[in-house]
């Protein structure tokens, strides 16, 4: 009997089962123990294969693919610390709902806790962060193939979002020519191999019912808060809110077109807060709000009811309002709860929003990161998409910019880490093949620098815009101790990215004014492949500009 052949047949059942649950993309890191899984994936023509030498980046690449495709994505890694490197992407997926299937190869039980090389305790190592976990046994012909396939179907059929961890131990030998070992075991699944449906169809769909008193509430004074949602849902929500005559406070990730832009500025004005206090009901669609002033208002508002609508389960409301937690996609909920045409009830807020926009617009000619955030809509590629990094970048765009309604915007705003941002953006581009603009800070780019290797394979124009303010300038907005701020918080690295781009054979530009930036972008959007554009700005100008604008708008 050939152990290597049976390992391959066992792995082939696992990979084929994944295809029945919509998995098209498989992300693979190099490794020996994962050989049965890797070769089974390579031989299965239903898959699009992606490779990367860094498992942390590989996990985020899969996250980006899942984010943009809205499909589950599989990841294959070898044993040991390779598995641990998937933790950040797994955590993010758990908070934002992308479906990841992590196939982690492992040593067999007799090699654990005995000093064997590259052997760690992998089952349960991700604690409570996976949506589900499955520790498979060592491949054995004593275990029916129908047990293996039905176990996987039961696990994947009920997955609503987040990552599943499937730990797969394999004994040596791992290599060798295929023979007939396990062929009868494999053939016991009969014509399942030629079908395209799961062996076991399991479903566990959780969805809130229609709110029968909606006809009553839609006649009240309401406020809509829009967090993360899809581009189509953002456009629908903007139209729905306009019909109702309710003010819509749109996050940069809402894709609603932010009909009342600069909310993070005008929410600091007492007139706006006073008018919002008249709301009898607040409806929040989507989670992961960005703006500090929006979060502060959300935490202190006291309407009669607060409804939060999101496809993800869980409370999702850090302020713990009295109201309703409704599990539904935004589009489905809007269809079930039609708007009734009414005149807008807010007067001060539209005026304050327009004045805030004009205040920001007056500073747009200065070459800086705050002005970039305000101008961002001018630089988006046609029929493209935007990926926003974390820290100061997303906050400035949220506070000072206005993105087109229905234009796709992606980010990692679940755990809001800066790890893996370039890898995630690469996955977003690969899933859609659209022109992509990704904007990150210099520390974020440094954190995921080897992901530039992934950008070499961009199938459409891809621009990585690195805003280099020499450190983590988000801490300039926080009351960090001045004496320790630079060394322990900002951590300026005094680096530029020309050599990094050259190392990976990527085009590079460092514009010094808006005309040069626009020229670099015009050239980048004309051809497939990635371009790195580094915007070197004065360290604290972005944070200081935001603080100055906040003060100005608060006194309008």
């Amino acid at each position: 009997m050939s152990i290597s052949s049976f390992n391959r047949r066992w792995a082939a059942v696992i990979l084929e089962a994944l295809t029945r649950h919509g998995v098209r993309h498989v992300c693979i890191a190099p490794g020996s123990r994962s050989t049965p899984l890797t070769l089974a994936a390579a031989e299965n023509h239903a898959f699009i294969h992606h490779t990367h030498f860094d498992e942390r980046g590989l996990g985020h690449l899969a996250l980006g693919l899942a984010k943009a495709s809205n499909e589950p994505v599989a990841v294959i890694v070898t044993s040991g610390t390779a598995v641990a490197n998937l933790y950040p992407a797994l955590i993010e997926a758990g908070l934002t709902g992308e479906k990841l299937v992590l196939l982690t190869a492992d040593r067999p039980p007799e090699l654990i806790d005995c000093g064997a090389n590259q052997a760690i305790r992998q089952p349960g190592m991700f604690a409570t962060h996976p949506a589900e976990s499955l520790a498979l046994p060592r491949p054995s012909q004593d275990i029916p193939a129908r047990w293996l396939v039905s176990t996987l179907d039961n696990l994947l059929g009920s997955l609503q979002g987040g990552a599943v961890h499937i730990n797969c131990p394999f004994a040596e030998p791992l290599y060798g020519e295929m023979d007939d070992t396990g062929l009868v075991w494999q053939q016991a699944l009969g014509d399942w191999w030629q079908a395209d449906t799961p062996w076991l169809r399991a479903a566990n769909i959780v969805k809130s019912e229609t709110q029968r008193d909606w006809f009553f509430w839609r006649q009240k004074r309401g406020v809509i808060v829009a967090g993360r949602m899809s581009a189509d849902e953002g456009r629908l929500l903007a139209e729905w809110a306009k019909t109702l005559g309710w003010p819509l406070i749109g996050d940069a990730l809402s894709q609603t077109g932010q009909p009342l832009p600069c909310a993070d500025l005008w929410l600091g004005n007492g007139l706006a807060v006073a008018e919002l206090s008249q709301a009898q009901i607040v409806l929040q669609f989507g989670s992961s709000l960005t703006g500090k002033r929006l979060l502060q208002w959300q935490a202190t508002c006291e309407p009669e009811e607060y409804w939060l609508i999101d496809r993800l389960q869980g409370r999702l409301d850090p302020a713990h309002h009295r109201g309703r937690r409704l599990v539904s996609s935004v589009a489905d909920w809007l269809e079930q709860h039609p708007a009734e045409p009414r005149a807008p009830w807010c007067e001060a807020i539209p005026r304050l929003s327009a004045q805030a926009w004009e205040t920001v617009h007056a500073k747009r000619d200065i070459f800086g990161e705050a002005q970039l955030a305000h101008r961002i809509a001018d630089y988006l590629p046609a029929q493209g998409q935007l990926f926003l990094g974390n820290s100061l970048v997303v906050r400035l765009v949220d506070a000072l910019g206005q993105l087109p309604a229905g234009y796709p915007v992606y980010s990692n705003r679940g755990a809001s880490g800066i790890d893996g941002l370039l890898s995630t953006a690469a996955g977003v581009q690969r899933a859609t093949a659209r022109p992509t603009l990704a904007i990150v800070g210099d520390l974020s780019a440094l954190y995921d620098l080897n992901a530039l290797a992934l950008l070499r394979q961009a199938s459409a124009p891809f621009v990585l815009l690195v805003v280099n303010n020499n450190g983590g300038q988000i801490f300039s907005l926080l009351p960090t101790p001045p004496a320790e701020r630079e060394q322990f918080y900002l951590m300026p690295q005094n680096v530029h990215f020309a050599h990094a781009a050259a190392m990976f054979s990527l085009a590079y530009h460092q514009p010094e004014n808006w005309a040069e930036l626009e020229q670099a972008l015009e050239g980048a959007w004309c051809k497939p492949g990635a371009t790195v554009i580094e915007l070197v700005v004065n360290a604290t100008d972005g944070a200081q500009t935001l603080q100055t604008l906040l003060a100005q708008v608060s006194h309008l």
Side-chain angles (χ1 to χ4, degrees), residues 214-336:
W214 169 241
F215 76 95
F216 167 78
W217 285 107
R218 70 185 181 185
Q219 300 175 56
K220 302 293 185 179
R221 292 187 301 274
V223 171
I224 297 169
V225 176
R228 182 184 58 244
M229 63 190 68
S230 73
D232 288 341
E233 288 175 333
R235 187 172 56 250
L236 287 172
L237 180 59
E239 295 169 357
W240 187 82
K242 185 177 181 180
T243 301
L244 271 178
W246 291 3
L248 188 157
I249 308 175
D251 189 274
L253 307 182
S254 70
Q255 298 158 97
T256 57
Q258 298 154 288
L260 296 168
C262 302
D264 201 45
L265 299 183
W266 56 257
L267 279 167
N269 187 292
L271 291 175
V273 175
E275 189 163 63
L276 289 175
S277 68
Q278 300 174 39
Q280 296 161 298
I281 182 172
V282 173
L283 269 59
Q284 179 182 333
F285 294 87
S287 55
S288 298
L289 304 177
T290 301
K292 184 176 181 179
R293 261 61 54 183
L294 176 56
L295 287 167
Q296 289 172 341
W297 174 80
Q298 191 259 1
T300 57
C301 72
E302 294 288 347
E304 295 174 31
E305 288 226 9
Y306 194 104
W307 298 5
L308 200 158
I309 301 98
D310 195 291
R311 63 184 175 82
L312 299 178
Q313 298 185 50
R315 285 182 290 175
L316 304 181
D317 176 14
H320 312 296
H321 287 96
R322 181 177 184 175
R324 308 180 195 184
R325 176 65 259 272
L326 306 170
V327 179
S328 173
S329 74
V330 174
D332 288 346
W333 201 91
L334 295 178
E335 184 178 357
Q336 294 170 4

Side-chain angles (χ1 to χ4, degrees), residues 129 314 516:
H129 291 286
E516 290 181 6

Side-chain angles (χ1 to χ4, degrees), residues 397-421:
V397 171
D398 182 71
L400 309 179
Q402 186 177 30
L403 298 168
Y407 193 90
V409 183
Y410 300 95
S411 75
N412 286 348
R413 291 296 293 170
S416 298
I418 66 169
D419 46 351
L421 293 178

Side-chain angles (χ1 to χ4, degrees), residues 376 379-381 385-388 435-439 461-465 521 525:
I376 193 63
Y379 301 141
L380 299 174
Q385 57 198 358
L386 174 66
F387 183 89
L388 290 175
T436 304
L437 173 62
I439 309 176
F462 186 109
V463 171
L464 173 63
L465 185 52
L521 286 170
W525 298 138

Side-chain angles (χ1 to χ4, degrees), residues 63-182:
L63 181 72
L65 286 162
K67 197 180 288 287
S69 68
N70 200 30
E71 297 172 349
V73 174
V75 180
I76 294 174
V77 299
T78 194
S79 61
T81 58
V83 180
N85 277 293
L86 298 177
Y87 218 154
L90 182 155
I91 289 172
E92 181 69 18
L95 293 171
T96 53
E98 289 81 18
K99 296 179 182 180
L100 300 182
V101 182
L102 308 182
L103 301 174
T104 61
D106 198 359
R107 261 59 177 169
E110 67 270 18
L111 295 182
I112 306 301
D113 288 331
C114 62
N117 181 53
Q118 203 173 322
I120 66 173
R121 292 185 293 275
Q122 292 178 194
M125 68 180 294
F126 297 126
T128 60
H129 291 286
E132 297 286 348
S133 296
L134 173 64
L136 290 175
R138 176 215 305 263
S140 169
Q141 294 191 60
D142 293 332
I143 301 172
R146 60 176 55 195
W147 173 87
L148 178 58
V149 70
S150 62
T151 299
L152 293 167
D153 286 342
N154 185 63
L155 183 77
L156 298 172
S158 60
L159 180 63
Q160 300 297 309
V164 293
H165 175 208
I166 304 174
N167 200 59
C168 309
F170 294 104
E172 294 182 345
L174 302 167
Y175 305 97
E177 296 296 323
M178 289 291 289
D179 59 24
D180 290 339
T181 302

Side-chain angles (χ1 to χ4, degrees), residues 420-432:
L421 293 178
L422 306 192
S423 300
T424 308
V428 166
Q429 193 283 317
R430 291 187 184 194
T432 62

